Amino acid sequence: MATDGSRHLWTAAIVASAALAILGEEVAGLRGLHYVFKPLTTLLILAMALRLSSGGPAGYRRLIVVGLLLSTLGDVFLMLPFDGFVFGLGSFLLAHIAYLVALRKRDGWWRVRWPLLAYALVASLVFVRLWPGLPDELKVPVIVYVIALAGMAAQAASVWRENRTGITRVAAVGGAFFVASDALLALDRFSAPIPMASVWVLTTYWIAQWCIARSVGGAGGQKPGRENCRSQ
């Protein structure tokens, strides 16, 4: 299983791969880098999760790995030269369901209510901005997706507030970054273009995935404040 040193090496490899993927997206002549390193970055995060010593309940790691595999599939659909948005949306919807079920293994459904209300408010505000630009055929799928995403992020925050350890906090941070990433992606696509959108969308996306993957490892009973997303 991964030691502290090897975890740093995994993180360095993930950061380097992510930088190349973003470079390939931003520079037209380097598009090939994006095709190679976008799925590779998520697969590196998956490999890191597999190397960590599991500190979660039975089946937690397996569900996180399933979510990362589905996310990799979504990465591929969203980067292909044809419009695979619906297929990517479906892949990430299933990924969020896998993460949600994993988080449920740590605690009951949304025992702390305020994260659910907070993420519902965020989702509503984003919807108000997106709604006029959403094609009719995407309105229902996007609603379903956002409910799953907000529910996953709220569950992660609720688990952390009920059981304040570094491991639960890192999952909650991951959920928050996922909401930020998808909000940026949706606003850029359906509302108004965001300068250097791929930089912000992909950076927040891989921070989210890295944090969720790191929630696999470590001891569930650590004291609050001893571990956080940055120190993993």
Side-chain angles (χ1 to χ4, degrees):
M1 294 298 176
T3 63
D4 288 341
S6 66
R7 283 199 294 270
H8 292 316
L9 290 175
W10 277 110
T11 300
I14 291 162
V15 170
S17 182
L20 289 170
I22 293 170
L23 180 65
E25 175 72 359
E26 287 292 311
V27 181
L30 299 176
R31 187 67 179 177
L33 289 177
H34 187 70
Y35 290 147
V36 172
F37 287 99
K38 186 181 182 186
L40 179 60
T41 302
T42 308
L43 288 173
L44 284 171
I45 294 172
L46 185 156
M48 180 189 71
L50 289 172
R51 292 286 297 169
L52 293 170
S53 56
S54 180
Y60 185 86
R61 186 213 301 269
R62 182 169 59 252
L63 285 163
I64 297 300
V65 167
V66 168
L68 287 165
L69 286 171
L70 288 164
S71 296
T72 305
L73 185 61
D75 288 340
V76 173
F77 281 129
L78 292 181
M79 76 177 183
L80 291 176
F82 66 86
D83 188 0
F85 181 79
V86 173
F87 298 104
L89 191 73
S91 299
F92 280 109
L93 171 62
L94 295 174
H96 290 313
I97 291 172
Y99 293 153
L100 178 61
V101 175
L103 291 161
R104 170 61 181 83
K105 289 180 174 291
R106 290 197 184 274
D107 201 6
W109 292 115
W110 304 291
R111 288 185 177 174
V112 180
R113 301 299 185 192
W114 69 259
L116 198 58
L117 297 174
Y119 280 114
L121 176 60
V122 170
S124 298
L125 293 173
V126 173
F127 263 132
V128 168
R129 187 69 181 270
L130 292 181
W131 198 255
L134 273 176
D136 289 340
E137 65 274 14
L138 286 180
K139 286 181 177 178
V140 172
V142 169
I143 288 172
V144 172
Y145 177 82
V146 171
I147 289 172
L149 171 62
M152 181 276 291
Q155 176 69 10
S158 174
V159 170
W160 170 52
R161 299 303 294 180
E162 281 284 284
N163 182 22
R164 299 189 193 187
T165 70
I167 293 304
T168 58
R169 187 195 305 122
V170 80
V173 172
F177 269 100
F178 232 129
V179 170
S181 178
D182 281 357
L184 289 169
L185 174 64
L187 291 169
D188 178 66
R189 186 180 180 96
F190 298 113
S191 181
I194 297 173
M196 299 178 65
S198 63
V199 174
W200 313 120
V201 170
L202 291 175
T203 298
T204 51
Y205 166 67
W206 280 315
I207 290 173
Q209 295 283 32
W210 185 87
C211 286
I212 290 170
R214 284 295 295 120
S215 73
V216 167
Q222 291 173 312
K223 294 181 180 179
R226 295 293 297 275
E227 188 176 11
N228 57 37
C229 186
R230 295 184 61 186
S231 65
Q232 293 293 319

